[in-house]
């Protein structure tokens, strides 16, 4: 099993990898990129049994292969004290429940008042010298689960899993109208709207976007829908439901009624993924925020 020991990632060679070259083990077992291997070679950061290793060395069962991956880093943003709701944390990952109204990261130099600033402050207080690395994003006014990596190695693995659609995210949304089907899938490609700086639109020239949905409750005028993302395009749920004639309540950008709710009624309630270091299957849930719970009650919808 891969283990993180201080600044080192180490792996005791198992019999199935006996006779295999260091370079292949680094790439196939430890999932280190060719570019990173070149960097490690230059800095003499690849060691076998406490001796500098060369990439073509063939290893034996029981050999200890160590790679220097975990140095101290700058945060990348200005630390700022912002309350955090931490759902899960270990040496490698952090999952937080992002509040609505809070951007995930700065969009310009020295910007404050984002979740990233708050995480940098938390790291600072905990003595963690690591860059703030979010694996995916949530819109400013969307609440819920957000996954972050605490070091570049975990980020590389989780980024790969995200590209390969191995990270699963589910949302609650309140939309206008009664859904035509209780279950369904939207497969509308999404592109930038050339008439608007931030808006997206369904376009045949857009990127593939897939949203699965299940209607949980309806009062005829509004519906509570559970959504599962297969892809993660910007504003994907909001664009898909707008295109289907069911804009999200409160989502003025995409045709929802902003007088009924002060933000888009969207909450990322769970995320499922494989732990980047030990392979455990993880599921982290975020409680439904009080403003959304009140909306459910007001509209007669039950989660």
């Amino acid at each position: 099993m891969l283990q993180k020991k201080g600044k080192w990632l180490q792996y005791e060679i198992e019999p199935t990898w006996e006779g295999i070259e260091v370079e292949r083990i680094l790439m196939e077992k430890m999932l280190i990129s060719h570019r990173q291997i070149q960097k490690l070679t230059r800095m003499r950061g690849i060691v076998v049994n406490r001796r500098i290793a060369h990439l073509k060395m063939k290893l034996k069962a029981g050999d200890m292969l160590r790679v220097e991956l975990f140095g101290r880093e700058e945060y990348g943003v200005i630390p700022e004290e912002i309350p955090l709701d931490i759902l899960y944390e270990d040496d490698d990952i952090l999952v937080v429940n992002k509040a609505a109204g809070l951007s995930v990261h700065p969009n310009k130099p020295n910007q404050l008042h984002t979740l990233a600033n708050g995480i940098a402050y938390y790291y600072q207080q905990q003595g963690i010298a690591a860059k703030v690395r979010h694996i995916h994003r949530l819109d400013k006014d969307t609440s819920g689960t957000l996954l972050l990596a605490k070091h570049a190695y975990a980020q590389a693995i989780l980024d790969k899993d995200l590209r390969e659609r191995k990270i699963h995210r589910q949302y609650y949304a309140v939309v206008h109208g009664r859904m035509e089907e209780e279950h369904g899938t939207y497969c509308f490609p999404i592109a930038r709207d050339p008439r608007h700086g931030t808006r997206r639109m369904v376009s045949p020239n857009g990127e593939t976007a897939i949203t699965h949905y299940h209607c949980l409750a309806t009062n005829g005028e509004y519906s509570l829908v559970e959504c599962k993302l297969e892809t993660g395009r910007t504003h994907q749920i909001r664009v898909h439901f707008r295109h289907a004639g069911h804009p999200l309540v409160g989502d003025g950008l995409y045709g929802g009624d902003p007088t009924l709710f002060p933000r888009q009624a969207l909450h990322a309630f769970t995320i499922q993924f494989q732990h980047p270091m030990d392979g455990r299957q993880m599921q982290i849930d975020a409680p439904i925020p009080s403003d959304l719970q009140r909306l459910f009650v007001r509209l007669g919808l039950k989660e």
Side-chain angles (χ1 to χ4, degrees), residues 74-112:
E74 299 293 330
Y75 303 118
V77 297
I78 300 170
E80 178 187 14
E81 186 173 6
I82 294 173
L84 297 179
D85 182 4
I86 296 174
L87 300 171
Y88 177 84
E89 181 180 16
D90 60 27
D91 288 344
D92 310 297
I93 60 174
L94 178 69
V95 183
V96 299
N97 181 17
K98 188 189 84 67
L102 190 64
S103 295
V104 170
H105 57 86
N107 292 314
K108 56 186 178 182
N110 301 320
Q111 182 179 338
L112 295 171

Side-chain angles (χ1 to χ4, degrees), residues 3 30 41 53 60 65 84 86 104 113 117 132 141 203 211 254 256 264 287 293 299:
Q3 290 184 308
M30 302 178 81
T41 300
K60 304 186 298 295
L65 175 59
L84 297 179
I86 296 174
V104 170
H113 314 311
N117 299 111
V132 178
D141 288 330
S203 167
T211 305
Y254 290 104
Q264 66 258 14
Q293 291 186 42
L299 299 180

Side-chain angles (χ1 to χ4, degrees), residues 169-273:
R169 292 162 287 162
Q170 291 175 261
Y171 295 71
Y172 290 131
V174 180
V175 304
H176 287 268
R178 180 190 294 272
M179 302 298 296
E180 291 76 15
E181 303 289 341
E182 183 177 344
H183 299 268
T185 299
Y186 295 142
C187 299
F188 309 130
I190 293 176
R192 288 182 177 274
D193 186 338
R195 300 159 297 180
H196 195 283
T198 58
R199 196 162 52 203
R200 301 302 195 267
M201 61 184 288
V202 169
S203 167
N205 299 318
E207 296 181 288
T208 300
I210 303 171
T211 305
H212 305 286
Y213 70 83
H214 173 209
C215 184
L216 301 175
T218 186
N219 63 12
E221 190 175 0
Y222 304 99
S223 299
L224 172 60
V225 182
E226 180 182 309
C227 309
K228 183 176 181 180
L229 293 184
E230 191 167 321
T231 56
R233 308 304 176 200
T234 300
H235 298 178
Q236 179 172 315
I237 292 173
R238 300 163 66 188
V239 173
H240 274 175
F241 279 88
R242 156 71 181 271
H243 186 75
H246 300 287
L248 271 63
V249 167
D251 191 359
L253 184 62
Y254 290 104
D257 183 357
T259 65
L260 191 62
F261 197 60
R263 64 178 178 97
Q264 66 258 14
L266 186 61
H267 175 68
F269 72 89
T270 193
I271 186 167
Q272 298 169 310
F273 58 96

